Amino acid sequence: MNITSQVDQKLALDGGPQAVEHPEPDLFHWPIVTEEDEQAILSVLHAGSMSGTDITEQFEREYAQWHGMKHGLGTCNGTAALLASFWACEVGAGTEIICPSMTYWASAIPALQLGAAVHFADIEPDTLCIDPGDIEHRIGPNTKAIVVVHYAGHPADMDRILPIASKHGLRVIEDVSHAQGTLYKGRMAGTFGDIAPMSLMSGKSFPIGEAGIVITDDSQLYERCVAFGHYERTGLPTEYNPTKQAIQDSELLRFAGAPLGGVKHRMNQWCSAMGRVQLKHYPRRMAEIQSAMNRFWDLLDGVPGIRAHRPPRDSGSTMGGWYASRGLYRADELGDLPCARFAEAVRAEGVDCHPGANAPLHLHPVFHDADIFRQGRPTMVAFGQRDVRQGPGTLPVSESITDIAFGVPWFKHDRPESIERYAAAYRKVAEHADQLM
Ligand SMILES: *Cc1c(COP(=O)(O)O)cnc(C)c1O
Protein backbone atom coordinates (compact mmCIF):
# COMPACT_ATOMS: atom_id res chain seq x y z
CA MET A 1 0.00 0.00 0.00
CA ASN A 2 1.15 3.52 -0.67
CA ILE A 3 -0.23 7.01 -0.44
CA THR A 4 -1.03 9.14 -3.42
CA SER A 5 1.66 11.41 -4.65
CA GLN A 6 1.75 14.83 -3.05
CA VAL A 7 3.39 16.47 -6.07
CA ASP A 8 0.31 18.59 -6.75
CA GLN A 9 0.19 19.90 -3.21
CA LYS A 10 2.06 23.12 -2.51
CA LEU A 11 4.52 22.97 0.39
CA ALA A 12 3.28 24.56 3.61
CA LEU A 13 6.63 26.36 3.70
CA ASP A 14 5.57 28.06 0.44
CA GLY A 15 2.09 28.93 1.69
CA GLY A 16 0.33 25.67 0.76
CA PRO A 17 -2.01 23.72 3.06
CA GLN A 18 -0.42 21.79 5.91
CA ALA A 19 -0.45 18.01 5.59
CA VAL A 20 -1.32 17.78 9.28
CA GLU A 21 -3.62 20.66 10.14
CA HIS A 22 -4.95 19.32 13.40
CA PRO A 23 -2.33 17.68 15.58
CA GLU A 24 -3.62 14.74 17.62
CA PRO A 25 -1.67 14.72 20.88
CA ASP A 26 -3.43 11.60 22.17
CA LEU A 27 -1.96 9.68 19.25
CA PHE A 28 1.42 10.13 20.92
CA HIS A 29 0.58 10.33 24.61
CA TRP A 30 2.72 8.03 26.73
CA PRO A 31 2.66 6.32 29.13
CA ILE A 32 -0.85 4.96 28.83
CA VAL A 33 -2.18 5.02 32.38
CA THR A 34 -5.49 3.58 33.52
CA GLU A 35 -7.32 3.18 36.78
CA GLU A 36 -5.45 -0.05 37.25
CA ASP A 37 -2.13 1.84 37.50
CA GLU A 38 -3.73 4.36 39.84
CA GLN A 39 -5.08 1.64 42.13
CA ALA A 40 -1.75 -0.16 42.24
CA ILE A 41 0.11 3.01 43.21
CA LEU A 42 -2.54 4.06 45.73
CA SER A 43 -2.35 0.73 47.49
CA VAL A 44 1.39 1.21 48.01
CA LEU A 45 0.72 4.74 49.23
CA HIS A 46 -1.93 3.62 51.70
CA ALA A 47 0.21 0.75 52.96
CA GLY A 48 3.11 3.16 53.32
CA SER A 49 5.35 0.57 51.67
CA MET A 50 7.17 2.82 49.19
CA SER A 51 10.52 1.71 50.57
CA GLY A 52 9.67 -1.98 50.89
CA THR A 53 10.73 -4.63 48.42
CA ASP A 54 7.81 -7.08 48.40
CA ILE A 55 6.16 -5.61 45.30
CA THR A 56 9.48 -4.89 43.64
CA GLU A 57 10.41 -8.55 44.03
CA GLN A 58 7.20 -9.63 42.35
CA PHE A 59 7.85 -7.20 39.54
CA GLU A 60 11.44 -8.42 39.21
CA ARG A 61 10.29 -12.03 38.92
CA GLU A 62 7.61 -11.22 36.36
CA TYR A 63 9.90 -9.00 34.33
CA ALA A 64 12.69 -11.59 34.31
CA GLN A 65 10.19 -14.31 33.42
CA TRP A 66 8.94 -12.28 30.47
CA HIS A 67 12.49 -12.57 29.14
CA GLY A 68 12.91 -16.18 30.23
CA MET A 69 15.74 -15.03 32.51
CA LYS A 70 16.63 -16.18 36.01
CA HIS A 71 17.18 -12.89 37.78
CA GLY A 72 15.77 -9.39 37.79
CA LEU A 73 16.91 -6.62 40.11
CA GLY A 74 15.00 -3.34 40.28
CA THR A 75 16.92 -0.08 40.60
CA CYS A 76 16.05 3.55 41.23
CA ASN A 77 16.84 4.45 37.61
CA GLY A 78 18.53 3.10 34.50
CA THR A 79 21.79 4.91 35.22
CA ALA A 80 22.05 2.96 38.49
CA ALA A 81 21.36 -0.29 36.63
CA LEU A 82 24.24 0.50 34.25
CA LEU A 83 26.60 1.44 37.07
CA ALA A 84 25.89 -1.74 39.04
CA SER A 85 26.26 -3.88 35.91
CA PHE A 86 29.60 -2.28 35.06
CA TRP A 87 30.88 -2.92 38.57
CA ALA A 88 29.57 -6.49 38.50
CA CYS A 89 31.49 -7.05 35.26
CA GLU A 90 34.70 -5.83 36.89
CA VAL A 91 34.85 -2.51 35.15
CA GLY A 92 37.09 -0.61 37.55
CA ALA A 93 39.99 1.80 37.85
CA GLY A 94 42.38 1.58 34.92
CA THR A 95 40.10 -0.60 32.78
CA GLU A 96 38.24 0.23 29.57
CA ILE A 97 34.87 -0.41 28.07
CA ILE A 98 33.84 -0.21 24.44
CA CYS A 99 30.58 1.61 23.82
CA PRO A 100 28.87 3.10 20.76
CA SER A 101 29.16 6.87 20.54
CA MET A 102 25.52 7.15 19.50
CA THR A 103 23.63 6.59 22.73
CA TYR A 104 22.44 8.35 25.85
CA TRP A 105 25.26 9.35 28.21
CA ALA A 106 24.23 6.80 30.85
CA SER A 107 25.47 3.95 28.64
CA ALA A 108 29.00 5.28 29.21
CA ILE A 109 29.54 7.82 32.00
CA PRO A 110 29.05 5.32 34.86
CA ALA A 111 32.37 3.82 33.70
CA LEU A 112 34.10 7.09 34.61
CA GLN A 113 32.54 6.90 38.05
CA LEU A 114 34.40 3.60 38.48
CA GLY A 115 37.70 5.03 37.23
CA ALA A 116 37.45 3.31 33.84
CA ALA A 117 37.87 4.85 30.39
CA VAL A 118 35.40 4.65 27.51
CA HIS A 119 36.66 3.70 24.07
CA PHE A 120 33.90 4.65 21.66
CA ALA A 121 33.03 2.68 18.56
CA ASP A 122 31.16 3.96 15.54
CA ILE A 123 27.65 2.92 14.51
CA GLU A 124 26.23 1.39 11.35
CA PRO A 125 24.35 3.95 9.25
CA ASP A 126 21.35 1.67 8.73
CA THR A 127 20.82 0.20 12.20
CA LEU A 128 22.28 3.16 14.18
CA CYS A 129 23.70 0.47 16.49
CA ILE A 130 27.34 -0.32 17.26
CA ASP A 131 29.27 -1.35 14.14
CA PRO A 132 30.62 -4.87 14.79
CA GLY A 133 33.45 -4.13 12.37
CA ASP A 134 34.63 -1.24 14.52
CA ILE A 135 35.07 -3.13 17.80
CA GLU A 136 37.96 -5.55 17.66
CA HIS A 137 40.80 -3.09 16.93
CA ARG A 138 39.76 -1.10 20.00
CA ILE A 139 40.27 -4.00 22.39
CA GLY A 140 43.29 -3.63 24.67
CA PRO A 141 44.74 -5.60 27.58
CA ASN A 142 42.50 -3.80 30.07
CA THR A 143 39.25 -3.90 28.13
CA LYS A 144 36.55 -5.52 30.21
CA ALA A 145 33.26 -5.17 28.41
CA ILE A 146 31.41 -4.23 25.26
CA VAL A 147 28.28 -2.16 25.79
CA VAL A 148 25.61 -2.84 23.20
CA VAL A 149 22.68 -0.44 22.79
CA HIS A 150 19.67 -1.52 20.76
CA TYR A 151 19.30 2.00 19.50
CA ALA A 152 15.81 3.50 19.15
CA GLY A 153 14.46 -0.03 19.41
CA HIS A 154 16.57 -1.48 16.58
CA PRO A 155 18.38 -4.66 17.58
CA ALA A 156 22.16 -4.62 17.31
CA ASP A 157 23.92 -7.26 15.23
CA MET A 158 24.44 -9.77 18.06
CA ASP A 159 25.55 -12.59 15.74
CA ARG A 160 28.68 -10.62 14.91
CA ILE A 161 29.25 -9.00 18.30
CA LEU A 162 29.07 -12.07 20.56
CA PRO A 163 31.90 -14.01 18.89
CA ILE A 164 34.22 -11.00 19.20
CA ALA A 165 33.45 -10.78 22.91
CA SER A 166 33.97 -14.46 23.58
CA LYS A 167 37.16 -14.56 21.51
CA HIS A 168 38.65 -11.88 23.77
CA GLY A 169 36.99 -12.93 27.02
CA LEU A 170 34.95 -9.74 27.29
CA ARG A 171 31.60 -9.23 28.95
CA VAL A 172 28.68 -8.09 26.85
CA ILE A 173 26.47 -5.55 28.62
CA GLU A 174 23.20 -5.04 26.76
CA ASP A 175 21.64 -1.64 27.42
CA VAL A 176 17.98 -2.31 26.60
CA SER A 177 16.69 1.13 27.64
CA HIS A 178 15.27 1.77 24.14
CA ALA A 179 14.23 -1.72 23.27
CA GLN A 180 12.02 -3.53 25.77
CA GLY A 181 10.33 -6.30 23.82
CA THR A 182 12.56 -5.95 20.75
CA LEU A 183 13.31 -9.25 19.03
CA TYR A 184 16.58 -10.09 17.35
CA LYS A 185 16.04 -13.07 15.04
CA GLY A 186 13.12 -14.20 17.15
CA ARG A 187 14.79 -13.81 20.53
CA MET A 188 14.34 -11.01 23.02
CA ALA A 189 16.83 -8.18 23.42
CA GLY A 190 18.49 -8.41 26.81
CA THR A 191 18.94 -12.19 26.64
CA PHE A 192 22.12 -12.27 24.53
CA GLY A 193 24.78 -10.68 26.69
CA ASP A 194 26.05 -11.42 30.19
CA ILE A 195 23.79 -8.86 31.78
CA ALA A 196 21.15 -6.39 30.62
CA PRO A 197 20.65 -3.13 32.53
CA MET A 198 17.96 -0.77 31.33
CA SER A 199 15.95 2.33 32.07
CA LEU A 200 12.23 2.10 32.84
CA MET A 201 11.90 5.88 33.05
CA SER A 202 8.58 7.56 32.17
CA GLY A 203 9.61 8.59 28.68
CA LYS A 204 11.00 5.24 27.61
CA SER A 205 9.27 2.34 25.92
CA PHE A 206 8.53 0.63 29.20
CA PRO A 207 7.52 3.61 31.34
CA ILE A 208 6.98 3.23 35.06
CA GLY A 209 8.31 6.41 36.62
CA GLU A 210 11.92 6.85 37.64
CA ALA A 211 13.23 3.31 37.66
CA GLY A 212 15.50 0.76 36.04
CA ILE A 213 16.14 -2.95 36.12
CA VAL A 214 18.95 -5.42 35.56
CA ILE A 215 18.22 -8.86 34.16
CA THR A 216 20.69 -11.71 33.91
CA ASP A 217 21.02 -15.48 33.94
CA ASP A 218 24.35 -15.23 35.75
CA SER A 219 23.75 -15.64 39.48
CA GLN A 220 27.14 -14.24 40.36
CA LEU A 221 26.58 -11.05 38.39
CA TYR A 222 23.18 -10.72 40.01
CA GLU A 223 24.64 -11.12 43.49
CA ARG A 224 27.29 -8.52 42.76
CA CYS A 225 24.63 -6.06 41.66
CA VAL A 226 22.77 -6.71 44.91
CA ALA A 227 25.94 -6.23 46.93
CA PHE A 228 26.78 -3.01 45.10
CA GLY A 229 23.66 -1.02 45.81
CA HIS A 230 21.06 -2.96 47.80
CA TYR A 231 22.31 -2.95 51.35
CA GLU A 232 19.18 -4.40 52.90
CA ARG A 233 19.21 -7.36 50.59
CA THR A 234 22.73 -8.48 51.33
CA GLY A 235 22.38 -11.11 53.94
CA LEU A 236 21.27 -9.40 57.11
CA PRO A 237 18.16 -11.08 58.49
CA THR A 238 15.74 -8.27 57.84
CA GLU A 239 12.31 -8.38 56.30
CA TYR A 240 13.89 -7.32 53.01
CA ASN A 241 16.15 -10.26 52.78
CA PRO A 242 15.12 -12.45 49.89
CA THR A 243 18.58 -13.06 48.57
CA LYS A 244 20.23 -14.32 51.71
CA GLN A 245 20.00 -17.89 50.54
CA ALA A 246 21.31 -17.05 47.13
CA ILE A 247 24.41 -15.34 48.40
CA GLN A 248 25.05 -17.44 51.47
CA ASP A 249 28.23 -18.96 50.15
CA SER A 250 29.35 -15.82 48.55
CA GLU A 251 32.28 -13.84 49.78
CA LEU A 252 30.08 -10.80 49.27
CA LEU A 253 28.18 -11.80 52.37
CA ARG A 254 31.03 -10.49 54.48
CA PHE A 255 29.94 -7.02 53.50
CA ALA A 256 26.28 -7.56 54.29
CA GLY A 257 24.54 -4.44 55.47
CA ALA A 258 26.85 -2.05 53.66
CA PRO A 259 26.59 -1.52 49.91
CA LEU A 260 29.93 -2.06 48.18
CA GLY A 261 29.30 0.82 45.80
CA GLY A 262 28.24 3.15 48.57
CA VAL A 263 25.06 3.82 46.64
CA LYS A 264 21.43 3.04 47.29
CA HIS A 265 19.71 1.60 44.27
CA ARG A 266 16.36 0.51 45.70
CA MET A 267 13.32 1.05 43.50
CA ASN A 268 10.39 3.06 44.85
CA GLN A 269 7.44 0.67 45.02
CA TRP A 270 5.12 3.18 43.35
CA CYS A 271 7.18 2.31 40.31
CA SER A 272 7.25 -1.44 40.75
CA ALA A 273 3.49 -1.47 41.42
CA MET A 274 2.96 0.44 38.18
CA GLY A 275 5.50 -1.85 36.52
CA ARG A 276 3.43 -4.93 37.27
CA VAL A 277 0.39 -3.31 35.67
CA GLN A 278 2.31 -1.98 32.67
CA LEU A 279 3.86 -5.39 32.08
CA LYS A 280 0.44 -7.01 31.77
CA HIS A 281 -0.51 -4.61 28.99
CA TYR A 282 2.85 -4.03 27.35
CA PRO A 283 2.79 -6.81 24.74
CA ARG A 284 -0.58 -5.64 23.43
CA ARG A 285 0.39 -1.96 23.46
CA MET A 286 3.67 -2.76 21.78
CA ALA A 287 1.88 -4.74 19.09
CA GLU A 288 -0.33 -1.73 18.35
CA ILE A 289 2.68 0.57 18.14
CA GLN A 290 4.37 -1.88 15.79
CA SER A 291 1.37 -2.05 13.54
CA ALA A 292 1.07 1.77 13.49
CA MET A 293 4.78 2.37 12.83
CA ASN A 294 4.99 -0.32 10.18
CA ARG A 295 1.91 1.19 8.53
CA PHE A 296 3.60 4.61 8.50
CA TRP A 297 6.75 3.23 6.89
CA ASP A 298 4.89 1.01 4.42
CA LEU A 299 3.10 4.14 3.20
CA LEU A 300 6.47 5.75 2.53
CA ASP A 301 8.03 2.76 0.86
CA GLY A 302 9.88 3.83 -2.27
CA VAL A 303 9.79 7.56 -1.53
CA PRO A 304 13.22 8.92 -2.48
CA GLY A 305 15.55 10.23 0.21
CA ILE A 306 13.99 8.51 3.18
CA ARG A 307 14.18 4.97 4.53
CA ALA A 308 12.63 3.18 7.44
CA HIS A 309 14.85 2.47 10.44
CA ARG A 310 13.71 -1.12 10.92
CA PRO A 311 15.01 -4.62 10.29
CA PRO A 312 13.91 -6.58 7.20
CA ARG A 313 10.38 -7.97 7.49
CA ASP A 314 11.28 -11.66 7.29
CA SER A 315 14.25 -11.50 9.69
CA GLY A 316 12.36 -12.34 12.88
CA SER A 317 13.72 -9.06 14.27
CA THR A 318 11.48 -6.22 15.43
CA MET A 319 11.68 -2.67 16.74
CA GLY A 320 10.06 -3.41 20.12
CA GLY A 321 8.13 -0.32 21.18
CA TRP A 322 9.89 1.92 18.57
CA TYR A 323 11.24 4.26 21.26
CA ALA A 324 12.29 7.67 19.89
CA SER A 325 11.60 6.48 16.35
CA ARG A 326 13.90 7.71 13.59
CA GLY A 327 13.99 7.75 9.82
CA LEU A 328 17.14 7.35 7.74
CA TYR A 329 17.99 10.19 5.37
CA ARG A 330 19.65 9.84 1.96
CA ALA A 331 20.52 13.35 0.79
CA ASP A 332 22.03 12.07 -2.47
CA GLU A 333 18.57 10.96 -3.62
CA LEU A 334 17.20 14.47 -3.07
CA GLY A 335 19.84 16.50 -4.88
CA ASP A 336 21.88 16.84 -1.67
CA LEU A 337 19.13 18.69 0.16
CA PRO A 338 20.42 19.06 3.74
CA CYS A 339 18.56 16.98 6.30
CA ALA A 340 18.00 20.09 8.44
CA ARG A 341 16.21 21.82 5.56
CA PHE A 342 14.14 18.70 4.91
CA ALA A 343 13.11 18.59 8.58
CA GLU A 344 12.27 22.29 8.58
CA ALA A 345 9.86 21.75 5.69
CA VAL A 346 8.28 18.76 7.45
CA ARG A 347 7.77 20.89 10.57
CA ALA A 348 6.01 23.48 8.44
CA GLU A 349 3.62 20.68 7.41
CA GLY A 350 2.60 20.36 11.06
CA VAL A 351 4.85 17.48 12.14
CA ASP A 352 7.50 17.80 14.84
CA CYS A 353 10.57 16.61 12.94
CA HIS A 354 14.20 17.30 13.78
CA PRO A 355 17.43 16.09 12.23
CA GLY A 356 19.75 13.76 14.13
CA ALA A 357 19.31 11.69 17.27
CA ASN A 358 21.59 11.82 20.33
CA ALA A 359 24.72 13.94 20.10
CA PRO A 360 27.83 11.78 19.54
CA LEU A 361 29.27 11.13 22.99
CA HIS A 362 32.95 10.81 22.08
CA LEU A 363 33.17 14.56 21.45
CA HIS A 364 31.67 15.56 24.77
CA PRO A 365 34.17 17.30 27.09
CA VAL A 366 33.31 14.92 29.95
CA PHE A 367 35.19 12.22 27.99
CA HIS A 368 38.14 14.53 27.44
CA ASP A 369 38.70 16.88 30.36
CA ALA A 370 36.48 16.01 33.30
CA ASP A 371 38.52 15.42 36.45
CA ILE A 372 35.86 13.65 38.49
CA PHE A 373 38.16 12.58 41.31
CA ARG A 374 40.09 15.87 41.57
CA GLN A 375 43.40 14.23 40.81
CA GLY A 376 44.67 17.02 38.60
CA ARG A 377 44.21 14.78 35.55
CA PRO A 378 41.21 13.97 33.37
CA THR A 379 39.51 10.84 34.69
CA MET A 380 39.75 9.23 31.22
CA VAL A 381 43.53 8.94 31.72
CA ALA A 382 43.93 9.25 35.48
CA PHE A 383 44.18 5.57 36.38
CA GLY A 384 46.93 4.42 34.05
CA GLN A 385 44.69 3.65 31.11
CA ARG A 386 45.76 4.08 27.53
CA ASP A 387 44.71 7.49 26.25
CA VAL A 388 41.75 6.51 24.10
CA ARG A 389 40.17 9.97 23.87
CA GLN A 390 38.67 10.58 20.44
CA GLY A 391 38.46 13.96 18.73
CA PRO A 392 36.47 15.25 15.75
CA GLY A 393 36.70 13.11 12.61
CA THR A 394 37.36 9.85 14.43
CA LEU A 395 33.86 8.35 14.24
CA PRO A 396 32.44 9.62 10.95
CA VAL A 397 29.05 7.92 11.01
CA SER A 398 28.18 9.03 14.54
CA GLU A 399 29.40 12.53 13.73
CA SER A 400 27.17 12.71 10.67
CA ILE A 401 24.02 11.79 12.59
CA THR A 402 22.27 15.10 11.82
CA ASP A 403 22.81 14.38 8.10
CA ILE A 404 21.63 10.78 8.12
CA ALA A 405 18.72 10.54 10.56
CA PHE A 406 15.61 12.48 11.47
CA GLY A 407 12.68 12.14 13.83
CA VAL A 408 9.36 10.59 12.87
CA PRO A 409 6.13 10.46 14.86
CA TRP A 410 6.09 7.82 17.58
CA PHE A 411 2.54 6.56 17.18
CA LYS A 412 0.96 4.78 20.11
CA HIS A 413 -2.28 3.96 18.33
CA ASP A 414 -2.88 2.46 14.93
CA ARG A 415 -5.28 4.94 13.33
CA PRO A 416 -4.88 4.56 9.58
CA GLU A 417 -6.37 7.89 8.51
CA SER A 418 -4.27 9.90 10.94
CA ILE A 419 -1.13 8.00 10.08
CA GLU A 420 -1.73 8.66 6.39
CA ARG A 421 -1.74 12.41 7.04
CA TYR A 422 1.58 12.23 8.86
CA ALA A 423 3.11 10.06 6.16
CA ALA A 424 1.81 12.49 3.52
CA ALA A 425 3.80 15.30 5.16
CA TYR A 426 7.09 13.44 4.67
CA ARG A 427 6.19 12.34 1.19
CA LYS A 428 5.18 15.84 0.15
CA VAL A 429 8.47 17.33 1.29
CA ALA A 430 10.52 14.60 -0.40
CA GLU A 431 8.62 15.18 -3.64
CA HIS A 432 9.35 18.90 -3.51
CA ALA A 433 12.99 18.63 -2.56
CA ASP A 434 14.09 20.58 -5.64
CA GLN A 435 12.07 23.61 -4.48
CA LEU A 436 13.84 23.64 -1.15
CA MET A 437 17.36 24.05 -2.44
C1 LIG B 1 17.57 6.65 29.40
C2 LIG B 1 18.75 5.81 29.15
C3 LIG B 1 19.58 5.36 30.19
C4 LIG B 1 19.48 5.86 31.61
O1 LIG B 1 18.31 5.62 32.23
P1 LIG B 1 17.70 6.60 33.34
O2 LIG B 1 16.54 5.82 33.82
O3 LIG B 1 17.35 7.87 32.68
O4 LIG B 1 18.74 6.78 34.39
C5 LIG B 1 20.61 4.50 29.87
N1 LIG B 1 20.85 4.13 28.60
C6 LIG B 1 20.10 4.56 27.57
C7 LIG B 1 20.42 4.10 26.19
C8 LIG B 1 19.03 5.43 27.80
O5 LIG B 1 18.31 5.90 26.78
mmCIF file of all heavy atoms in Angstrom, residues 25 29 90 92 167-168 188 225 282:
data_model
loop_
_atom_site.group_PDB
_atom_site.id
_atom_site.type_symbol
_atom_site.label_atom_id
_atom_site.label_comp_id
_atom_site.label_asym_id
_atom_site.label_seq_id
_atom_site.Cartn_x
_atom_site.Cartn_y
_atom_site.Cartn_z
ATOM 1 N N PRO A 25 -2.614 15.061 19.809
ATOM 2 C CA PRO A 25 -1.669 14.718 20.880
ATOM 3 C C PRO A 25 -1.921 13.329 21.473
ATOM 4 O O PRO A 25 -0.976 12.651 21.877
ATOM 5 C CB PRO A 25 -1.911 15.799 21.936
ATOM 6 C CG PRO A 25 -2.679 16.877 21.263
ATOM 7 C CD PRO A 25 -3.347 16.294 20.081
ATOM 8 N N HIS A 29 0.473 10.253 23.146
ATOM 9 C CA HIS A 29 0.579 10.325 24.611
ATOM 10 C C HIS A 29 1.137 9.026 25.194
ATOM 11 O O HIS A 29 0.724 7.925 24.839
ATOM 12 C CB HIS A 29 -0.785 10.627 25.235
ATOM 13 C CG HIS A 29 -0.695 10.808 26.716
ATOM 14 N ND1 HIS A 29 -0.193 11.953 27.288
ATOM 15 C CD2 HIS A 29 -0.976 9.967 27.735
ATOM 16 C CE1 HIS A 29 -0.196 11.818 28.598
ATOM 17 N NE2 HIS A 29 -0.661 10.617 28.906
ATOM 18 N N GLU A 90 33.317 -6.167 36.568
ATOM 19 C CA GLU A 90 34.703 -5.830 36.894
ATOM 20 C C GLU A 90 35.262 -4.672 36.090
ATOM 21 O O GLU A 90 36.459 -4.609 35.796
ATOM 22 C CB GLU A 90 35.595 -7.069 36.770
ATOM 23 C CG GLU A 90 35.192 -8.139 37.793
ATOM 24 C CD GLU A 90 35.960 -9.442 37.614
ATOM 25 O OE1 GLU A 90 37.191 -9.394 37.710
ATOM 26 O OE2 GLU A 90 35.302 -10.473 37.377
ATOM 27 N N GLY A 92 36.566 -1.343 36.393
ATOM 28 C CA GLY A 92 37.086 -0.611 37.550
ATOM 29 C C GLY A 92 38.244 0.278 37.137
ATOM 30 O O GLY A 92 38.532 0.441 35.935
ATOM 31 N N LYS A 167 35.779 -14.374 21.939
ATOM 32 C CA LYS A 167 37.163 -14.564 21.514
ATOM 33 C C LYS A 167 38.142 -13.850 22.450
ATOM 34 O O LYS A 167 39.228 -14.352 22.726
ATOM 35 C CB LYS A 167 37.316 -14.046 20.075
ATOM 36 C CG LYS A 167 38.725 -14.119 19.514
ATOM 37 C CD LYS A 167 38.737 -13.658 18.052
ATOM 38 C CE LYS A 167 40.155 -13.323 17.598
ATOM 39 N NZ LYS A 167 40.137 -12.524 16.348
ATOM 40 N N HIS A 168 37.742 -12.675 22.932
ATOM 41 C CA HIS A 168 38.645 -11.876 23.768
ATOM 42 C C HIS A 168 38.294 -11.930 25.259
ATOM 43 O O HIS A 168 38.852 -11.177 26.048
ATOM 44 C CB HIS A 168 38.635 -10.415 23.297
ATOM 45 C CG HIS A 168 39.197 -10.244 21.915
ATOM 46 N ND1 HIS A 168 40.543 -10.078 21.679
ATOM 47 C CD2 HIS A 168 38.598 -10.255 20.705
ATOM 48 C CE1 HIS A 168 40.739 -9.971 20.359
ATOM 49 N NE2 HIS A 168 39.583 -10.074 19.754
ATOM 50 N N MET A 188 14.485 -12.324 22.410
ATOM 51 C CA MET A 188 14.344 -11.008 23.021
ATOM 52 C C MET A 188 15.668 -10.308 23.325
ATOM 53 O O MET A 188 16.601 -10.912 23.856
ATOM 54 C CB MET A 188 13.546 -11.111 24.318
ATOM 55 C CG MET A 188 12.075 -10.861 24.091
ATOM 56 S SD MET A 188 11.166 -11.129 25.591
ATOM 57 C CE MET A 188 11.017 -9.449 26.153
ATOM 58 N N CYS A 225 25.465 -7.265 41.777
ATOM 59 C CA CYS A 225 24.628 -6.058 41.658
ATOM 60 C C CYS A 225 23.873 -5.802 42.957
ATOM 61 O O CYS A 225 23.692 -4.649 43.363
ATOM 62 C CB CYS A 225 23.638 -6.187 40.498
ATOM 63 S SG CYS A 225 24.419 -6.079 38.887
ATOM 64 N N TYR A 282 1.800 -4.454 28.282
ATOM 65 C CA TYR A 282 2.850 -4.035 27.350
ATOM 66 C C TYR A 282 2.841 -4.785 26.016
ATOM 67 O O TYR A 282 2.906 -4.155 24.952
ATOM 68 C CB TYR A 282 4.232 -4.120 28.014
ATOM 69 C CG TYR A 282 5.315 -3.494 27.178
ATOM 70 C CD1 TYR A 282 5.435 -2.117 27.068
ATOM 71 C CD2 TYR A 282 6.214 -4.294 26.465
ATOM 72 C CE1 TYR A 282 6.420 -1.542 26.287
ATOM 73 C CE2 TYR A 282 7.209 -3.716 25.679
ATOM 74 C CZ TYR A 282 7.303 -2.350 25.596
ATOM 75 O OH TYR A 282 8.281 -1.789 24.813
#
